[in-house]
Amino acid sequence: MAYNLCSSPSSLYQPLCNTLSSSSRDSKPRTLNNNFYHSLKLNTPSPQSRTTSLQITNVSLQDQKIPQQETSKDSNFNEKNGSSSKSYIWVNPKSSKASTLRKSSYDARYASLIKAAKSLNSCNPNKDDVFNILGEFGNKLFEHDAVVILNNMSNPDTALLALKFFRERLEFNREVVVYNVTMKVLRKCRDLNKVEKLFDEMIERAVKPDNVTFSTIISCARLCNLADKAVEWFEKMPSFGLDPDDVTFSTMIDSYGRVGNVEKALSLYDRARTEKWRLDTTTFSTLIRIYKDSGNFDGCLNVYEEMKALGVKPNLVIYNTLLDAMGRARRPWQAKKFYQDIIDSGLSPSYATYAALLRAYGRARYGEDTIKIYKEMKEKELSLNVLLYNTILAMCADLGFVDEAIEIFEDMKNSGISPDSWTFSSMITMSSCCGKVSEAENMLNEMFEAGFQPNIFVLTSLIQCYGKAQRIDDVVKTFNRLYELLITPDDRFCGCLLNVMTQTPNEELGKLVDCVERANPKLGHVVKLLVEEQGNEGNFKKEAADLFDNISTEVKKAYCNCLIDLCVKLNMLERACELLDHGLTLGIYTDIQSKTSTQWSLNLKSLSSGAALTALHVWINDLSKALEAGEQLPPLLGINTGHGKHKYSEKGLANVFESHLKELNAPFHEAPDKVGWFLTTKVAAESWLESRKLADAVAA
């Protein structure tokens, strides 16, 4: 092989010159294609580039002048010519001088600098040890040597002492470079405090920082998760007359996003897209998080698509952020897709992946998918925390997954995770919805033993449980406990009381009227007008309107459903119709009746059984009026009850309606190809309506 001879170290100059001079005196000059000797220039050698980045110029050897340089301050060292501008001469490896020259090659010198860096990394961080190691070079150190040594160090304490050594002995052409590589050592150790102190030292020594200085400090702040510091240093750059480059700008998207300056982050992102900056996965992850936190879930997906279009491969952090975003957006189908992408890309799901999936599926009530992920976590021996257990149990309570919930609850306790009040609340809710009084009471006792007092959710569930079992005295006791615990009844609690009244024998309704009046006087007054049949029609409408003006939007439909159910229970059909009409006026119910040229429909999917029966009564009357007015019915008439059944009961609205339509002898029959639909023809409907009209006339 050929050896590169560096002209910088003075120890190399004289032997090389002597060798060449001797050769020219002792023999005649030989020529080989007139290009045997070459002068080689190398720009700032590095391990990768010192033998490759060569600019070759064909010159005569006699015309090549090798400069003489002093080596240090002690020897009047002057590096204005720059140690980074070095001359090299190719040497034939078969030459008898090759072994001697090999020892003086730049490769050997570079190896000695690396060895010094390793020694400095492992030595004691004191001045004597550091100075002794570097002192072995004598007066033969140059600015570029200092850069090489510092660039290969990882010990921040000895690096600072090495910098001090170089400052005392060398005159720098570009001192900022030496400071920058020292800062990079400190950055490796994520020591931002020392980096900032080193910057202050630079300013005191009148060393002007450059873009590399600031990008090093900013990246150090990012590594330390100190986004506010990154922003602070970025915004200092203009005061030093520096314009950030594209790389710095792109990293600041992440930092501004982390400190909450969304507008600035997105502004930089828009600029990045326009100017085609190169963005890393961390920046894309931050952008997705920004959109997620602002609720712009489509923005998350757009960033993901742009990322793929740029050829940036998503990592697990990106996927986990997207899974969390889709969970918040209640888009479990997209969470499923991203999970499949993780598997297809060969990535291994992490704990964060499974946790995000559980939250996404659990919130959306994807029961089977949630249980599947839970079992997969158990198979991989991944521990769930109390929040994840609560997510699963809350879903089970809502969907009626009773057996699964009991199994998971026991697993939770066996895993050493202590249930909290929300855990007990879900279990009590589930038992209450099933009407399992003893199980609910046992769970309440276990809750007490664990040191928790029942909250309003637990008491609401217990009232529902006792109401289903028609244990009205226990409902009243539970209601009184609410006040003993200094808990204020909310709209949902009152709605539960109202629902219990629809299941309570008429003779015991008075006990609950008192409770409702204490919890919500306006609601209590309306209920009292119904139960005690007080007040005229105008007074009831006024009180009902006042009630709905003073309750939250979330419970308006529930209240209206329950009040209509109570009217139906008390055989007060006119009041039920008034409430239904009021619900339609307020927009509580929408699109109950719909008409097309081919079909008129009654849509009952969002109504309680009492409200649905009332709506049917109104619709039948409207059909009769249409016939009397000479209006033509369409070829088909249908009633849509929905195909679902109650999660804790085998009965759904369709079952209730099927039996009621038989009682009315109505010609509606369940459609075999449309679940939840009851259909009839124009001819059958007209015949039935006419027969009803005759029956009413006879009865009158």
Side-chain angles (χ1 to χ4, degrees), residues 414-458:
N414 294 334
S415 299
I417 305 297
S418 299
D420 62 10
S421 60
W422 294 106
T423 315
F424 289 114
S425 178
S426 293
M427 297 303 292
I428 291 171
T429 296
M430 187 176 58
S431 298
S432 299
C433 290
C434 294
K436 296 181 177 180
V437 177
S438 59
E439 286 85 346
E441 290 178 335
N442 290 338
M443 194 61 66
L444 180 65
N445 292 332
E446 190 173 338
M447 184 178 184
F448 285 136
E449 291 172 3
F452 297 106
Q453 288 293 328
N455 54 27
I456 193 167
F457 301 104
V458 171

Side-chain angles (χ1 to χ4, degrees), residues 570-670:
L570 297 171
N571 294 318
M572 302 175 71
L573 188 56
E574 286 188 22
R575 292 285 169 86
C577 291
E578 289 170 10
L579 285 167
L580 180 66
D581 182 64
H582 191 66
L584 289 166
T585 302
L586 293 178
I588 296 172
Y589 303 120
T590 57
D591 301 322
I592 289 181
Q593 293 187 26
S594 61
K595 293 182 178 182
T596 68
S597 59
T598 58
Q599 181 175 331
W600 289 2
S601 302
L602 180 65
N603 301 297
L604 306 172
K605 289 193 292 185
S606 63
L607 276 63
S608 63
S609 58
L613 293 173
T614 303
L616 175 64
H617 172 78
V618 172
W619 190 53
I620 291 172
N621 286 343
D622 288 345
L623 292 177
S624 297
K625 290 175 183 177
L627 280 179
E628 290 173 6
E631 191 173 351
Q632 290 293 316
L633 298 183
L636 199 63
L637 294 95
I639 302 169
N640 182 13
T641 62
H643 60 273
K645 64 182 180 182
H646 195 279
K647 57 198 171 189
Y648 289 103
S649 171
E650 291 300 318
K651 282 190 175 183
L653 192 56
N655 291 334
V656 173
F657 248 73
E658 186 175 17
S659 60
H660 185 68
L661 289 171
K662 286 179 180 178
E663 289 176 11
L664 296 175
N665 199 27
F668 291 88
H669 302 284
E670 191 167 7

